[in-house]
């Protein structure tokens, strides 16, 4: 693991998600750029001192020299955005598979380099766009892919949060500080941090691509350097229209990611606040609520559900679905076996490139008040 | 009443709404342009034959010649859009107050003429933008006006319906036929029929005006002549940003009008599907759900609630709030008394002009793919 | 109308409900036992002075002497419980149909006398158990009657309110005062006021009868003379089991009447807080939410819905369904025609007798800690 | 781990819950009474063959002979009910702490023996009444303990499931088979399996004890040997009244455990279907919804929440809270340190005894139609 030392935020989430299914064991880490802190963080996690490294370069180099049965199988990168590209590239160059937090990197150019490297090495690269790994999101994707709601016409995707409603970055709040700093976060604020989740969710569920977009981004907090709120009109590659709204100043909202997709015959409605339900509206039948405990679900849905039917699952289980699938895929490579297709689905470097292209387009569109539509590469 | 004969849709709603509070009695009508049908419709409603007129001109002329204690006090216009302007103008010219269905007329020019006439005659003109008369919408307006959520930053307003997901107008469905016909409905389809409700709700609740907008309108049903789906970016006159989404092809949706408004300190969330609740989110306190049965509400809210606390009220009660307030205002003029301020609030000719200006701007913006922002007059 | 003068509570509700459909006109009243107050109340309602009577005896006698086309067609009784029996009996004796608030009277003996009188006069007697007139309650009844969920096994019906959580009756609150006074309310408090609604709902929806019950009633507020909270085990005549809970000290609750019925194949779930939805759970299919705007409903449901599909209806509309059906039935008698069967459904004197039998049994059971089961006659 | 081999149900849940926080490592197991199956199950879990035992006696004996740093620290018992007492007693006798699935054993006598043994050995004994470890249940308990809703008056607790609506036990469904078999499940069916969860939740949240109860149990499925549905009237030791309903034939229900508690000043409402929300109703203030992402919660709540505020947590996290707290308590004993009080809260042998006493009383009450109230020891 790279990053995630004492005081970090998302590192512990990655560790819990990786541990959940008993398929992955944390064996080493460069938990902090402060060598002492890295060692202490590793000790907290019951790691031996010689596997706690002072930085990621040291870790990757030393681990690559260990015997295959001892050395780590893959690297998990849980640092702020500006520290994704370097470690990811180095890990790939040294033959390690990678799990990387999102957005994938700082620029679209970096993203393309990573994609090229992944393609040339044929290594596994997973991006933790966690939300698309909820069972009911898998169900929504399959229902649309199987034509249950007909051709998609309309998408409404939104991700309101409220935690940046005040200038928290000035109060030394670590998460707020780097997320509003262009040098660490990239060209976009809310649109990069959570807008990309919305974009990823919309494209994943519908199987469509955003062709062009028109954005209105705004910074409501005086002195903040990046957007904290925005709306985007979307035109999809099949002619469907959409709207995407992401905000970190929607006071009082937690993580209210929600997607609605309407087709010719019906509509799907999923919200992260109640992730175990998928609302299905029909043109001429009563609304249904799909849940894991009752009725027949697609195999892809069932494969990403792990507890007694009808009990609620949450964010960690969705996160763990990515790690578990990555573990299965790595095991299959090690054992030269095949993985069941239902376990091969997780966000990849291609999703990462799309996310960076979305950020580029949305920021460009947001800056200009004249040009209406901006194409996504 | 003008319109609302046998087979009509919204006329019966107007009659129930007008009757509810025992303040208004239906005394005459031109229920249809077919004289025979008008008479039969009137008979259904227990009206004497001599007060059932063959057309609105006849009705207004004959009624105006009756003695003041016999003749109607105001006219209710419940015809399709293209039949609003004529009767409204004639009624005003003959000294009758007017209640008119929305949108107010076919063009912005007509709207301005009506406004001028209302101003010069000083008669009462009410527009049935029903949704802003729900008690909890009144509560939301007052909470914002009293600064409870601070300066407004973000608006999300939406009105998805699904009933035009198929080419219903080709199947001789009367409502679908005139609503998709530019000569009877006006320049906009979904944006005129329900988008104006969303616009009215957003401006009413926030007390703000839309400065400029950027729209993407679309017609999903082949052969349909007007938009059936659209999204609009909004910039409000205080700098707040918003998004408005209205659609009649959101398959499976009923009348899911919903508004969310976020300010510096919290956010309000109201939905017509559960109109008796107002969700209030706070930056640093648990979410609240305001209802009529518990807690303290603004006098404006209480004045528009009429049944035992905690019992659900619906669309008809909201509709009746407009009629009841109009009745109180007319009574006050007749008796030369004052109406309590809480009963003077209903949509007026000014809301009607704003609605037509919104339609104009949104249609213009929707037509051009180059210009990003269109100002509203 | 008998009762419902200035300062009364439920009278205005009855008047609005009666007016809604334009089938009923208020023509006279004995609004108060105070003659002056009765006259003033009538004047508020635009009634002529000679139709405002000083007491119900006067009203019934004088009205019965008017010519049939002038005199009232039926009497509406909206007084406290102890003032139901007298006026109802007198009205029936004088040939007037009756609409009476619930519970029907003070004792089971009175109830049986009324039933006998209704049967011998063949007059219409309606009891305003309002909740069973919601469209979605009609739908639930029909679904069970048509076997959609199979044989009923389990009922859960509950009616929590919180408004009597404090000794409001000592603070001169008029509603609290008579409802907690055995001489005006009868043998039961919460169980009479709202428990009977729950009982009526359960028997109406399932078509079953309560065979025997076991109650635990309690008075939480010191000095209160009647029960304010209770739970009841139910055994139905088909072997189904149930539980009924009614409380007026469930602090914070409004009027949260809810019923769940489970059969062999599925379960129904309806709540007055969201009366426009009927949740239908299936053994092996996703949950459905029936609403008036989408899908196919039973004719009985459609007949009790009156506004544009998908708009919320509330308590007044349910109340009006009783009045409208009564009006249709009276009209049919006057015109010697047939009423469509779907409009003949409203609570009758038989429901009133059952309600009083329920009160008797529940109070008896609640008083004894030894005998477990009490049969309902 | 004892039990939980291939094909088992709850064993995998225990393993995930134990792994989540990185504090517990599975080191050995007797996963099946079939030695070969136990070995294969252990191999699936990456355990060395010599730590996979053929039965629990062998495991406990051999592990107790290993050096303290190698041998297991505690035993997890995940077998059907009839296989709890033996292994638990043997583990305690050999000095191992115990985590045991619920209900604790087959009879109240067994339960008391276990309690005596736990008291004499001073070992840790945790019972996986999972539901009381949800963060919002902790919050509810603290709110009541701190007097926020005043003296408790009324409890409504319910646990409907629908999965036994058909005679699944005759179709060789393993879970159904043992749960409906008195020799493996004990004296109660639904009341033992899920009724005890409801009982535990009610007593945990309120801090009260059930004094006496009155039950109506029923078996709806012909040929089934144990109750599959029942309602219970409750009288608590402070005078509060309650009703408990548990059913496995409530067709279409998943695991709809819900508790409502009303006090003098307000009411709490928590449901496992949306476990991240706690609805708080107030006598004279709008309803609140407490969630982990907004507002201030008790330290006990925060200590049992582990992911980014506002993301949903589920059943596994609640389950893991028990294991994590047990791990912290065992670590503290090993290191001779103190555990923060907020981590010492998990269900113990005393909850187990109370659960068995509840089962005894409820079954006895259910069997007799004469005696109304049965006291709980």
């Amino acid at each position: 693991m790279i990053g995630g030392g004492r005081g970090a935020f998302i590192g512990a989430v990655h560790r819990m998600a990786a541990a959940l299914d008993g398929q992955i064991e944390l064996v080493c880490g460069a938990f902090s750029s402060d060598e002492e802190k890295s060692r202490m963080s590793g000790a907290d996690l019951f790691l031996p001192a010689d596997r706690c490294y002072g930085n990621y370069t040291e870790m990757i180099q030393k681990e690559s020299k260990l015997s295959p049965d001892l050395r780590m199988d893959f690297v998990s990168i849980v640092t702020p955005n500006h520290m994704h590209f370097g470690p990811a590239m180095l890990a790939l160059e040294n033959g390690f598979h990678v799990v990387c937090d999102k957005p994938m990197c700082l620029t679209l150019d970096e993203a393309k380099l990573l994609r090229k490297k992944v393609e040339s090495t044929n290594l596994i690269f997973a991006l933790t766009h966690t939300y698309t790994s909820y069972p009911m999101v898998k169900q929504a994707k399959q229902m649309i892919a199987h034509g249950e709601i007909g051709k998609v016409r309309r998408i409404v995707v939104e991700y309101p949060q409220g935690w940046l409603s005040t200038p928290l970055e000035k109060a030394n709040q670590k998460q707020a500080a780097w997320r509003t700093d262009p040098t660490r976060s990239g060209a976009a604020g809310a649109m990069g941090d959570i807008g990309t989740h919305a974009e990823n969710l919309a494209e994943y569920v519908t199987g469509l691509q955003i062709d062009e977009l028109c954005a209105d981004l705004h910074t409501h907090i005086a002195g903040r350097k990046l957007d904290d709120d925005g709306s985007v009109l979307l035109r999809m590659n099949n002619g469907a229209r959409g709207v995407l709204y992401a905000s970190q100043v929607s006071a009082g909202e937690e993580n209210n990611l929600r997607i609605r997709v309407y087709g010719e015959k019906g509509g799907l409605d999923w919200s992260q606040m109640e992730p175990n339900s998928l609302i299905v509206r029909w043109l001429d039948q009563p609304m249904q609520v799909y849940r894991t405990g009752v009725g027949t679900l697609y195999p892809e849905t069932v494969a990403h559900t792990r507890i007694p039917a009808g009990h609620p699952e949450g964010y960690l289980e969705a996160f763990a679905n990515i790690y578990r699938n990555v573990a299965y895929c790595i095991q299959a490579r090690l054992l030269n076996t095949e993985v069941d297709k239902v376990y091969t689905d997780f966000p990849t470097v291609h999703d990462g490139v799309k996310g960076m292209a979305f950020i580029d387009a949305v920021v460009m569109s947001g800056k200009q008040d004249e040009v209406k539509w901006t194409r996504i590469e």
Side-chain angles (χ1 to χ4, degrees), chain A:
Chain A
M1 173 166 282
I2 297 170
R6 287 183 176 182
F9 169 75
I10 202 73
V13 171
H14 278 257
R15 284 191 294 267
M16 290 186 279
L20 191 67
D21 292 291
Q23 303 298 319
I24 294 169
E25 192 185 345
L26 179 66
V27 293
C28 65
F31 301 104
S32 169
S33 50
D34 172 340
E35 188 167 340
E36 180 58 19
K37 191 173 166 192
S38 179
R39 295 255 145 77
M40 292 194 311
S41 300
D44 291 348
L45 302 165
F46 309 108
L47 282 188
D50 63 345
R51 303 292 286 276
C52 300
Y53 303 98
N55 58 65
Y56 73 81
T57 313
E58 182 195 347
M59 180 177 91
I60 291 172
Q61 287 171 346
K62 290 201 176 161
E63 287 286 320
S64 65
K65 285 168 195 157
L66 295 179
S67 74
D69 59 319
L70 278 182
R71 75 172 167 232
M72 64 180 182
D73 289 310
F74 71 95
V75 170
S76 207
I77 301 171
V78 301
T79 47
N81 303 352
H82 69 302
M83 288 294 291
H84 290 176
F85 177 75
M89 197 54 102
L90 193 64
L92 292 169
E93 284 166 353
N94 284 273
F96 292 108
H97 307 291
V98 171
V99 174
C100 182
D101 213 286
K102 47 49 59 185
M104 192 159 71
C105 38
L106 274 195
T107 67
L108 181 54
D109 284 345
E110 285 181 359
K112 288 175 178 170
L113 288 173
L114 276 176
R115 181 175 59 188
K116 199 171 161 191
K117 179 61 74 182
V118 169
E119 287 171 349
S120 67
T121 58
N122 197 29
L123 289 164
I124 291 166
F125 188 100
L127 198 70
T128 52
H129 270 308
T130 309
Y131 304 109
T132 48
S133 292
Y134 274 106
M136 283 302 157
V137 173
K138 304 277 182 190
Q139 177 71 12
K141 180 185 182 62
Q142 292 303 321
M143 290 181 74
I144 291 174
H146 286 79
E148 294 199 35
I149 64 166
K151 189 195 161 200
V152 169
R153 287 171 172 169
R154 156 61 57 183
I155 299 169
V156 182
V157 64
E158 55 192 30
Y159 196 153
Q161 295 180 332
W163 70 292
L164 287 176
S165 291
T166 57
L168 218 54
E169 62 268 38
K170 293 184 184 157
N172 275 330
Q173 210 265 21
K174 191 179 167 181
Q175 293 302 317
W178 78 256
R179 280 169 212 265
T180 59
D181 174 2
T183 66
R184 288 180 283 173
S185 186
M191 277 296 154
D193 193 23
I194 57 175
T196 51
H197 277 308
E199 166 265 326
N200 181 252
L201 181 60
E203 297 193 331
Y204 178 80
V205 165
T206 62
L208 300 173
Q209 311 291 324
I210 303 171
D211 253 10
E212 49 185 5
L213 55 76
C214 169
D216 187 24
L217 306 192
H218 194 60
T219 306
H220 290 275
I221 303 299
R224 183 164 289 165
K225 291 176 189 154
L226 293 171
D227 60 285
D228 52 24
D229 179 77
S231 314
V232 190
L233 306 177
L234 306 176
R235 289 182 167 177
M236 311 304 290
N237 60 343
N238 79 332
R241 303 305 169 98
V243 63
L244 180 156
Y245 146 54
S247 170
Q248 296 181 314
V249 296
S250 291
E253 292 285 359
E254 296 176 295
N255 286 279
N256 210 341
L257 176 64
R258 182 184 179 197
I259 187 165
R260 285 170 282 172
V261 180
Y262 301 97
E264 296 160 321
K265 296 184 260 176
L268 304 181
D269 187 345
W270 178 84
S271 165
Q272 213 241 159
M273 301 296 277
E274 287 187 49
N276 299 287
S277 295
L278 176 66
I279 296 170
V280 184
R281 294 188 178 85
W282 298 107
L283 199 52
D284 51 9
Q285 293 295 326
M287 186 173 106
Q288 291 183 304
V289 183
Y290 281 59
R291 292 183 53 90
T292 56
V294 178
T296 307
L297 301 169
Y298 282 101
E300 287 81 359
T301 314
V302 175
H304 294 85
T305 304
R306 50 171 77 66
I307 51 169
H311 284 90
E313 295 181 274
Y315 176 76
L316 279 177
E317 289 90 330
F319 217 120
N321 282 335
I322 297 178
Y323 271 100
R324 198 253 338 243
N325 288 3
V326 166
Y328 283 174
C329 290
I330 293 177
Q331 285 165 14
R333 293 205 180 186
L334 291 173
L335 304 171
N336 207 20
T337 56
E338 281 290 309
V339 191
D340 186 328
K341 199 172 71 73
V342 297
Y343 298 120
T344 58
D345 180 27
F346 51 79
T348 68
V349 75
H350 300 287
D351 298 284
V353 172
K354 284 203 282 185
M356 296 311 300
F358 171 77
I359 290 176
D360 255 29
V362 97
V363 169
M364 179 177 300
S365 176
K367 278 188 184 143
Q368 52 205 6
D369 270 1
E370 284 70 41
V371 182
K372 190 166 178 180
W373 295 102
T374 301
R375 293 198 68 78
I376 290 204
E377 293 190 52

